[in-house]
Amino acid sequence: MALFRRRAEVLAHVEDGFHAAEAPAMQRSVLEALGLGDRPAPAVVPARLRVEHGADQHLVLVWRNVIVGFVPSGATAPLAAQLAAAGEAALVVTGAVHHAEGAWRVWAGPVPEDGFPPVPAGLDTLAAPETTILGVPVRRLDQRG
């Protein structure tokens, strides 16, 4: 008798793929899910992402039990329909985590053979969290006024 039952999975259909939104704000979460320390070497890491409901009408992408990004508005409606159709099963999409433009980015969908497209302008609207130690903000010397 198994103590934990694995939830059935349904593979999402994502035609062209997309970058998850809010990468700068989600860097700590992505690094935690990568599990490679604070400064892992740039690489493309395969990812199996779960699509789940977030706050309001947003959909989130969960990788290794950590929320690592948001589904951008252009991809929300098709994935929301697939999530509803999946019922009790988990909706998953294959993808990758890669380093681009100074941040770790989450890509959902088939990995492009000719490289990842540029990150769309306006995809990230949340500010990156401030660095803190035990909740106290840490200001770098070059940021002092």
Side-chain angles (χ1 to χ4, degrees), residues 80-142:
Q82 292 179 60
L83 185 57
E88 293 295 317
L91 182 65
V92 296
V93 60
T94 57
V97 177
H98 66 102
H99 203 260
E101 301 175 10
W104 285 93
R105 304 290 323 193
V106 175
W107 177 263
V111 175
E113 292 180 16
D114 54 349
F116 295 97
V119 176
L123 184 64
D124 304 316
T125 59
L126 299 175
E130 192 171 21
T131 302
T132 63
I133 296 177
L134 299 173
V136 177
V138 177
R139 308 228 191 283
R140 295 180 46 179
L141 292 175
D142 60 350

Side-chain angles (χ1 to χ4, degrees), residues 6 28 32 44 48 51 61 72-73 76 86 88 112 126-127 134 137 145:
R6 186 169 181 163
R28 289 183 190 156
E32 180 182 328
V44 175
R48 190 169 179 84
V51 180
L61 296 170
S73 59
T76 299
E88 293 295 317
L126 299 175
L134 299 173

Side-chain angles (χ1 to χ4, degrees), residues 52-93:
E52 296 185 357
H53 290 285
D56 300 324
Q57 298 299 315
H58 298 286
L59 296 180
V60 296
L61 296 170
V62 178
W63 182 44
R64 298 179 177 169
N65 293 326
V66 178
I67 295 174
V68 292
F70 296 86
V71 175
S73 59
T76 299
L79 284 176
Q82 292 179 60
L83 185 57
E88 293 295 317
L91 182 65
V92 296
V93 60

